[in-house]
Amino acid sequence: AQSVWGYDSDNGPERWHENYPMAKGDKQSPIEINSKDVRHDSSLAPWHASYDPGAAKTILNNGRTCRVVFDDSFDRSVLRGGPLTGAYRLRQLHLHWGSSDDHGSEHVIDGVKYAAELHMVHWNPKHGNFAGALKQPDGVAVVGIFLKVSGKHSVFIYFLILEEIDNIKTKGKEAPFQHFDPSILFPKSRDYWTYHGSFTTPPCEECITWILLREPIEVSPDQMAKLRSLSKNGENEAMNPLVDNWRPPQPVKGRVVRASFK
Ligand SMILES: NS(=O)(=O)N=C1NCCCN1
Ligand SMILES: [Zn+2]
């Protein structure tokens, strides 16, 4: 049987296109962003998130990432503004990270790879449901936040997600995760880059308006170590560290990245 997609040599990003042809499309993500090619767009509005902490439901290790899911059955936690038209519903958030602090993010900024990248996935309810939104160019909006490892002690104490890691060590483990407002993870600055791209995981649908925050948030080495203590495997299998679950940058193919800032 075909091995399910993943990040290993036999099922990783270089082979995804064999089962998911969209992976070779012209609007794939992530990309490398070079400030010299970015265009400041003064017409870009600020973005606003209004999230209901009660919408948070559970946290899950699905063997490929750590994911928090939210109630998206109505406009309860929404993202508005920026490059978007209308309100997009928050559905889930997850992370991508490396086996060491010098890499792990998916987007690369002026050659800089961050230790991790957090994705907050929202979808446009005008397309009826999430599955319908995946088929539309304006179907999904993902806010990307870069994580930088800081030696300082004033690190991300809010990072409640990492407190829950002990309960979801192995693939398939899920724990309640409630009363959580993910907007506490936003950095101070609202500056962002935006461009049109795809999911960075198969089937790699090209339905995403990316909103990448310029200012990284800081985490401690211990917090990164916690993330790396997750296992790709189930509880009755050998521990296989869940690390390096990132797709490398894809061809920009003439796309323009706009910046909300000068
Ligand atoms: N890394 S990504 O582009 O957000 N990919 C996703 N795939 C499944 C649904 C949520 N997001
Ligand atoms: Zn992601």
Side-chain angles (χ1 to χ4, degrees):
Q2 295 276 0
S3 56
V4 173
W5 70 267
Y7 295 93
D8 301 317
S9 54
D10 61 340
N11 66 1
E14 305 315 315
R15 298 194 60 181
W16 290 350
H17 67 92
E18 294 169 17
N19 291 322
Y20 304 99
M22 282 188 275
K24 276 196 181 297
D26 293 348
K27 297 188 178 69
Q28 289 293 292
S29 295
I31 58 171
E32 163 111 40
I33 291 181
N34 296 308
S35 299
K36 63 176 175 24
D37 303 329
V38 165
R39 280 195 41 223
H40 167 63
D41 181 342
S42 52
S43 75
L44 276 173
W47 55 275
H48 298 282
S50 41
Y51 294 153
D52 171 357
K57 295 197 302 193
T58 59
I59 188 168
L60 166 77
N61 171 348
N62 65 12
R64 289 195 285 256
T65 188
C66 161
R67 181 177 76 188
V68 176
V69 296
F70 300 84
D71 166 22
D72 62 352
S73 61
F74 65 99
D75 282 5
R76 187 172 184 184
S77 290
V78 295
L79 179 73
R80 287 191 177 84
L84 305 175
T85 301
Y88 283 59
R89 289 184 194 168
L90 176 65
R91 180 177 176 86
Q92 58 111 301
L93 68 78
H94 62 271
L95 296 108
H96 305 263
W97 60 93
S99 45
S100 58
D101 295 350
D102 60 350
H103 70 281
S105 64
E106 300 204 298
H107 291 88
V108 177
I109 309 294
D110 293 328
V112 175
K113 294 181 180 177
Y114 287 96
E117 185 172 329
L118 187 145
H119 289 159
M120 295 184 181
V121 181
H122 311 72
W123 58 280
N124 191 336
K126 86 179 195 188
H127 298 307
N129 55 36
F130 186 64
L134 302 183
K135 304 185 184 84
Q136 308 295 331
D138 65 346
V140 176
V142 180
V143 174
I145 305 177
F146 296 111
L147 272 61
K148 176 179 179 181
V149 179
S150 144
K152 289 196 309 240
H153 292 289
S154 65
V155 288
F156 237 84
I157 51 174
Y158 306 118
F159 224 147
L160 291 179
I161 291 170
L162 300 179
E163 297 313 309
E164 282 299 318
I165 294 284
D166 294 335
N167 302 324
I168 57 163
K169 282 288 188 198
T170 53
K171 177 179 176 181
K173 296 216 73 164
E174 188 165 25
F177 199 77
Q178 294 158 333
H179 320 299
F180 170 63
D181 173 355
S183 49
I184 59 168
L185 297 171
F186 293 145
K188 285 186 305 301
S189 170
R190 290 298 203 235
D191 288 350
Y192 64 91
W193 294 280
T194 184
Y195 78 99
H196 193 269
S198 74
F199 280 120
T200 67
T201 61
C204 303
E205 297 93 337
E206 296 178 344
C207 60
I208 300 192
T209 300
W210 280 94
I211 297 172
L212 297 169
L213 304 192
R214 172 168 69 155
E215 182 184 343
I217 61 172
E218 297 196 346
V219 291
S220 68
D222 291 4
Q223 288 174 316
M224 281 310 302
K226 258 207 183 294
L227 214 43
R228 299 185 186 117
S229 72
L230 291 172
S231 177
K232 283 182 184 168
N233 290 343
E235 60 187 335
N236 305 316
E237 300 169 84
M239 196 299 180
N240 183 359
L242 174 47
V243 293
D244 289 327
N245 55 352
W246 49 276
R247 187 189 194 186
Q250 301 300 306
V252 173
K253 300 235 172 165
R255 285 175 284 175
V256 173
V257 177
R258 292 180 291 159
S260 69
F261 58 95
K262 275 208 164 55

